[in-house]
Amino acid sequence: MKHDFHYTMSRRGFLVVAAGAAVSASLRPTRASAVDERQIKVGPGQALFNGANGASTAVWTYNGTVPGPALRLRQGEPVRITVENGLDEDTTVHWHGIRLPNAMDGVPGLTQPPIKPGGSFTYEFTPPDAGTFWYHPHADSLVQLGRGLAGPLIVEEREPVVVDRDLLWLLQDWRLTADGQIAGGFGGMMDASMSGRVGNVVTINGEVPADLGVRAGERVRLRLANASLARMMALRFEAHRPVVVAVDGQPCDPHEPENGRIVLAPAMRVDIVLDMQGDPGSRHAVIDDFYDGLAYTLANVAYDKGPPLRAHPLDAPVGLPRNPLPAPDLARAVRQEIVLQGGMMGGGKLKGLGGMMGMGMPGMNGGAAWAINGMSMTGDGHAGMAPQFALERGATCHLTMRNETAWWHPMHVHGFSLSVLSRNGAPVPHRQWQDTVLLAPRDVIECAFVADNPGDWMLHCHVADHQMAGLMTVFRVK
Amino acid sequence: MKLTYALTAFGLAAATPLPALAATINAVMYKNPSCSCCETYAAYLEQNGFKVDIKPTNDLSQVSAGLGVPANLEGCHSVVVGGYVVDGFVPVDLIKKMLAEHPAITGIAMAGMPMGSPGMGGQKTESWKIYAFTKDGKAPTVYATE
């Protein structure tokens, strides 16, 4: 495998994989008996990013595959998931975006003891919200995610949504060496203090993407999940008009994304509905143009030559039923603010903060490159992390997040979904709730949530390098 | 990734001291797509007789390593010029000196992003060490102190 990203992508012609079919298979629900019991074994394995005929890459897996098996759960029905650790180091599993009891949140030291090598831990929770979520380790996060540990978690709506197909793209970004292995050098200072470990090969559901085969006239629900360590994405579906129906698993008012670009930072999910109105036999690129000068074709939508499934698009509404999120009481909200600081300075943008600095390093010890409100919590979580603020149970928190850095940060809150109120003073439309809110450099985001779930909860940047290097904090709900 | 860069006519040109108004020196800069201090440095090179072809790359540390830059000297961009590698905010006079003298090294690098250096701006507050490095695994040596 070549590790030059563009070169790899340009060879995609070799890698004809019926992505749609592969996805349907991986999503097939594994119906359990009366008690919904699941088993996940964490351990080393091999991945075939370029299909069965390509080189194999040594990875860490959930149940032997990258990504891990798609967990399909039912809204409001309890599940027990036993995780067995076959690695040589501690791990945990964080059920990203699921509102669950604090002890099931998977943060080592903070919410549970880490799962030792050879040990196991049983997670028990009842997902209150239907939608697109994912799971990943919260121990040695940069390395464990970067070596492959991530999987999709779908919570099905109680009443099925009317679409012809329900597909998932779990997007992962790998930094591979010339011989197709995962490059070492995790946690280098340049990565940590700049944009994180962005890689050179992107996979969809564990393979370098080929075509998404579709049929004219069909309606597809496509669940997009960015499980990358650091790569931001902005996807455009040429000649199509995707409608966003959910962000981070939470249904929103259906809308077309701004400029037709679906921005997906690490850990974000966006569900879109695509009415396939192209001509039979036509092909259309899906382009990721997030980074200036580095746009590339991620995949192609390829229509089969058959006649359209139906003459007109489905007229069923595309909106999803709302989840039972508690409504914030803004009039009586408690205000809190977190300020993101540090990182490599871009061209002297921080003149107001003590002039030109090579690294804005509040807390240079311990390899910290970032801070929240002047404090750098590094690593993955540990015992005795002092909460940045505490909230009374049931209180509404009006949270301001202020990015004073020159870099992008997807800020993830554990245990809650945030009602996103405004960005840089402008109201955020479409009644969006998110657990991972992307802040552009200098952005100020206002959001709100009801502190209805007791415990010490993490709030951190989901660029894994940034989290490890200090862009993390904890708050308490009493 | 196999990066090929032409040695071009530099071997010849470098044999004679560069006149004040030298011909344009072509350079390629590999940089993080989101970093703006690299662009300031590219502009500085352009003001000093270079023509800089900027190539944003998301895996800069791999590119830099492939060019032979030692990990502890890696900066937020790597410049390939005249068959040499220049990493970090190296003052232009030192680049021209290297191109003129044609030493048997892979390139030169200034670690960190010190204040006052081209690209960072501000006031110089400390002396800078510019290191020469090779691809033979030997420790970098001090090329110049500014």
Side-chain angles (χ1 to χ4, degrees):
Chain A
M1 178 186 297
K2 304 292 175 191
H3 83 260
D4 176 273
F5 184 67
H6 291 91
Y7 187 51
T8 302
M9 298 314 265
S10 72
R11 295 184 46 166
R12 207 180 40 250
F14 285 92
L15 315 161
V16 183
V17 175
V23 172
S24 312
S26 72
L27 275 179
R28 192 170 300 137
T30 48
R31 285 274 174 260
S33 52
V35 181
D36 196 354
E37 300 263 5
R38 312 289 177 108
Q39 304 281 333
I40 294 179
K41 172 88 187 268
V42 191
Q46 297 286 324
L48 297 169
F49 294 144
N50 278 320
N53 298 323
S56 70
T57 303
V59 290
W60 292 352
T61 74
Y62 290 128
N63 288 355
T65 64
V66 169
L71 292 175
R72 276 197 173 260
L73 308 181
R74 300 280 291 180
Q75 185 177 16
E77 294 183 14
V79 65
R80 287 167 53 96
I81 307 169
T82 300
V83 176
E84 194 184 329
N85 184 6
L87 297 175
D88 291 333
E89 62 180 57
D90 293 356
T91 193
T92 63
V93 178
H94 172 58
W95 315 95
H96 188 115
I98 304 283
R99 297 186 294 135
L100 41 56
N102 187 257
M104 299 293 127
D105 195 42
V107 181
L110 192 69
T111 70
Q112 69 169 91
I115 310 171
K116 299 285 180 197
S120 67
F121 187 91
T122 299
Y123 294 89
E124 293 186 71
F125 56 89
T126 303
D129 304 324
T132 306
F133 303 93
W134 66 300
Y135 60 98
H136 61 80
H138 220 287
D140 196 11
S141 304
L142 174 63
V143 173
Q144 293 192 9
L145 258 172
R147 293 201 179 278
L149 292 178
L153 197 172
I154 309 291
V155 183
E156 295 174 342
E157 288 82 12
R158 288 195 175 92
E159 300 297 323
V161 174
V162 180
V163 291
D164 295 304
R165 284 193 296 162
D166 184 336
L167 304 180
L168 167 82
W169 280 6
L170 188 101
L171 300 152
Q172 287 168 294
D173 173 45
W174 311 95
R175 188 178 282 183
L176 299 185
T177 58
D179 60 352
Q181 299 306 307
I182 290 171
F186 284 95
M189 205 60 208
M190 296 307 292
D191 284 337
S193 61
M194 297 180 74
S195 36
R197 183 180 157 110
V198 179
N200 46 24
V201 170
V202 173
T203 57
I204 295 178
N205 303 330
E207 290 199 347
V208 173
D211 290 349
L212 172 64
V214 303
R215 183 159 176 201
E218 73 170 333
R219 172 173 288 179
V220 170
R221 175 184 187 173
L222 179 56
R223 303 169 187 262
L224 301 165
N226 185 349
S228 303
L229 285 176
R231 179 182 287 276
M232 316 269 165
M233 301 185 185
L235 303 185
R236 285 189 296 111
F237 287 74
E238 279 192 345
H240 288 75
R241 298 177 67 179
V243 175
V244 175
V245 295
V247 181
D248 289 351
Q250 299 295 351
C252 59
D253 296 342
H255 63 279
E256 292 189 37
E258 203 176 335
N259 304 316
R261 286 169 102 227
I262 300 157
V263 176
L264 275 170
M268 284 183 65
R269 292 88 64 211
V270 173
D271 285 29
I272 59 173
V273 168
L274 282 163
D275 277 318
M276 297 300 179
Q277 294 295 301
D279 294 329
S282 64
R283 283 167 62 84
H284 310 275
V286 181
I287 292 165
D288 172 8
D289 64 0
F290 183 86
Y291 297 104
D292 284 348
L294 292 173
Y296 65 98
T297 298
L298 171 68
N300 284 285
V301 175
Y303 283 76
D304 75 19
K305 295 193 172 65
L309 193 62
R310 53 178 70 84
H312 304 287
L314 269 180
D315 54 8
V318 296
L320 300 171
R322 291 267 167 179
N323 284 321
L325 291 157
D329 179 359
L330 290 176
R332 286 193 276 175
V334 178
R335 281 185 174 265
Q336 296 291 346
E337 178 171 274
I338 63 163
V339 182
L340 317 184
Q341 300 154 323
M344 189 77 79
M345 305 305 171
K349 286 176 182 170
L350 288 194
K351 274 186 205 126
L353 285 178
M356 313 286 291
M357 296 186 287
M359 308 254 189
M361 296 264 200
M364 184 95 178
N365 54 334
W370 308 88
I372 289 178
N373 294 2
M375 181 187 290
S376 302
M377 287 186 180
T378 56
D380 301 278
H382 45 82
M385 297 173 90
Q388 180 73 234
F389 56 86
L391 300 166
E392 297 297 333
R393 183 106 54 100
T396 291
C397 178
H398 181 149
L399 179 66
T400 302
M401 293 192 275
R402 189 180 297 279
N403 182 4
E404 289 186 346
T405 80
W407 302 90
W408 295 74
H409 303 293
M411 296 302 295
H412 171 49
V413 60
H414 286 216
F416 300 89
S417 281
L418 309 173
S419 167
V420 186
L421 304 173
S422 73
R423 182 180 295 272
N424 302 324
V428 171
H430 319 306
R431 294 191 294 157
Q432 284 182 203
W433 294 74
Q434 295 178 235
D435 57 61
T436 308
V437 183
L438 179 60
L439 278 77
R442 316 296 157 201
D443 263 5
V444 179
I445 292 279
E446 296 197 62
C447 47
F449 65 99
V450 177
D452 61 350
N453 198 351
D456 285 357
W457 299 99
M458 282 245 163
L459 173 55
H460 64 86
C461 178
H462 224 288
V463 171
D465 281 286
H466 293 178
Q467 173 209 311
M468 300 299 287
L471 210 46
M472 175 163 70
T473 193
V474 169
F475 66 95
R476 174 169 294 168
V477 176
K478 294 180 192 168
Chain B
M1 179 185 297
K2 177 150 178 65
L3 281 168
T4 52
Y5 42 89
L7 291 168
T8 65
F10 259 112
L12 300 173
T16 52
L18 292 168
L21 290 171
T24 304
I25 306 167
N26 289 310
V28 177
M29 172 187 279
Y30 298 90
K31 69 177 281 284
N32 182 299
S34 310
C35 181
S36 61
C37 48
C38 311
E39 281 155 28
T40 310
Y41 183 70
Y44 160 80
L45 291 180
E46 297 232 320
Q47 285 157 14
N48 286 282
F50 292 78
K51 182 169 186 321
V52 183
D53 181 11
I54 296 179
K55 293 194 185 299
T57 175
N58 270 320
D59 56 340
L60 180 70
S61 61
Q62 273 192 311
V63 171
S64 302
L67 290 170
V69 182
N72 58 346
L73 291 177
E74 210 175 272
C76 57
H77 59 258
S78 292
V79 175
V80 175
V81 55
Y84 288 98
V85 180
V86 177
D87 209 278
F89 300 126
V90 177
V92 69
D93 291 349
L94 289 175
I95 303 174
K96 289 181 174 172
K97 175 173 180 278
M98 173 176 68
L99 294 178
E101 295 174 352
H102 213 69
I105 59 174
T106 302
I108 53 178
M110 181 160 72
M113 304 177 68
M115 294 205 294
S117 60
M120 292 312 289
Q123 292 295 311
K124 186 169 183 292
T125 58
E126 57 194 337
S127 69
W128 308 328
K129 278 200 174 74
I130 289 90
Y131 292 89
F133 57 89
T134 56
K135 279 187 169 176
D136 57 10
K138 289 188 182 140
T141 54
V142 175
Y143 182 74
T145 304
E146 293 272 299

